[in-house]
Amino acid sequence: MKFFLDTANIQEIREAVSWGIISGVTTNPTLVAREEGSFEEMIKAICQEVDGPVSVEAVSTRAEDMVVEARRLARFASNVVVKIPMGVEGLKAVSQLEVTEGIHCNVTLVFSVNQALLAARAGASYISPFVGRIDDIGWDGMGLIREMVTVLERQKLASQVIAASIRHPRHVHESAAAGAQIATLPFSVLQQMAEHPLTDRGIQRFLADWEKVQKNMG
Ligand code: G3P
């Protein structure tokens, strides 16, 4: 499974990229609204930091406007992937962008296997089911990931599943076990993944014992 970072914060992106484990970034209007400065400059800066796809969301509501907007976003950098919200207008835009114009799309706000089937058939490079938001309403977010991955594989559809709206590390390893190709993570979840209290305790013990070794050696 590849890890993307789900943020528009350049410091978080620089830090996570320095760990050597980040393969892409996803943004959305909410994440962009948390940051200061010009949208275009922000996205261009992110695209320079990351050696991989950077999803940038289109906010138009009609297919023809989405296509025009997507063309503009795709000119920001060669690694821009345009995020298109699920829906009939979105499907029309995705099929034109992917098939006719060669602009890669990430279909976002996906909450069912049928939506994923439609997005895949439209040619979406990526499909983003929102695990956490499904859990939030008392449904089974991880169950959706499992079923979606299974169905897309069985149907030999090539879209990659990005497990999105990840709330905690358990979502990450369960998405990996389900076969999702990518998980997009808030920086805080990435940090949690690297930590374990027994690791901290183990390091402290080794350091304390090493001090004893130094003393014994005089
Ligand atoms: O980027 C899309 C998704 O990851 C949003 O997550 O936490 O707003 O449900 P969240």
Side-chain angles (χ1 to χ4, degrees):
M1 169 186 265
K2 288 182 179 170
F3 302 122
F4 286 7
L5 207 60
D6 198 25
T7 185
N9 183 282
I10 197 79
Q11 280 81 28
E12 289 181 347
I13 292 167
R14 282 197 187 119
E15 173 60 22
V17 165
S18 78
W19 298 9
I21 45 83
I22 289 300
S23 304
V25 163
T26 52
T27 67
N28 63 36
T30 306
L31 296 170
V32 167
R34 288 183 195 151
E35 308 302 322
E36 306 263 303
S38 127
F39 171 63
E40 183 169 341
E41 293 312 311
M42 186 189 305
I43 298 302
K44 285 180 174 171
I46 293 171
C47 287
Q48 280 197 334
E49 292 293 331
V50 184
D51 184 15
V54 174
S55 288
V56 186
E57 193 150 338
V59 292
S60 306
T61 52
R62 292 171 42 224
E64 43 283 33
D65 298 333
M66 287 178 190
V67 168
V68 171
E69 191 183 351
R71 286 184 194 134
R72 186 176 75 86
L73 296 174
R75 280 196 294 270
F76 287 180
S78 59
N79 52 342
V80 164
V81 166
V82 181
K83 243 182 175 181
I84 301 282
M86 179 61 206
V88 172
E89 293 302 304
L91 292 171
K92 290 183 203 168
V94 169
S95 58
Q96 173 159 352
L97 289 165
E98 287 271 7
V99 179
T100 314
E101 310 209 11
I103 294 176
H104 294 305
C105 297
N106 172 1
V107 175
T108 189
L109 292 164
V110 172
F111 295 95
S112 75
V113 175
N114 280 332
Q115 288 183 321
L117 280 169
L118 291 171
R121 192 51 74 191
S125 295
Y126 304 95
I127 298 175
S128 292
F130 279 24
V131 182
R133 290 196 199 178
I134 294 183
D135 289 353
D136 289 347
I137 60 163
W139 293 2
D140 180 10
M142 203 46 62
L144 173 64
I145 299 285
R146 281 188 210 102
E147 214 178 348
M148 190 179 293
V149 169
T150 306
V151 170
L152 292 180
E153 274 177 12
R154 192 163 295 171
Q155 294 296 322
K156 300 191 175 20
L157 291 163
S159 310
Q160 297 190 59
V161 172
I162 304 180
S165 184
I166 295 284
R167 299 274 196 265
H168 48 71
R170 194 173 178 82
H171 275 156
V172 185
H173 76 73
E174 287 185 353
S175 297
Q181 289 87 354
I182 299 155
T184 190
L185 318 173
F187 184 67
S188 57
V189 173
L190 194 66
Q191 280 180 310
Q192 283 179 284
M193 285 171 67
E195 293 163 0
H196 197 285
L198 292 179
T199 305
D200 296 342
R201 207 185 301 172
I203 288 172
Q204 304 243 305
R205 191 185 297 172
F206 285 149
L207 289 177
D209 287 341
W210 188 246
E211 259 186 50
K212 286 183 207 158
V213 172
Q214 303 293 91
K215 274 190 196 138
N216 291 347
M217 290 194 315

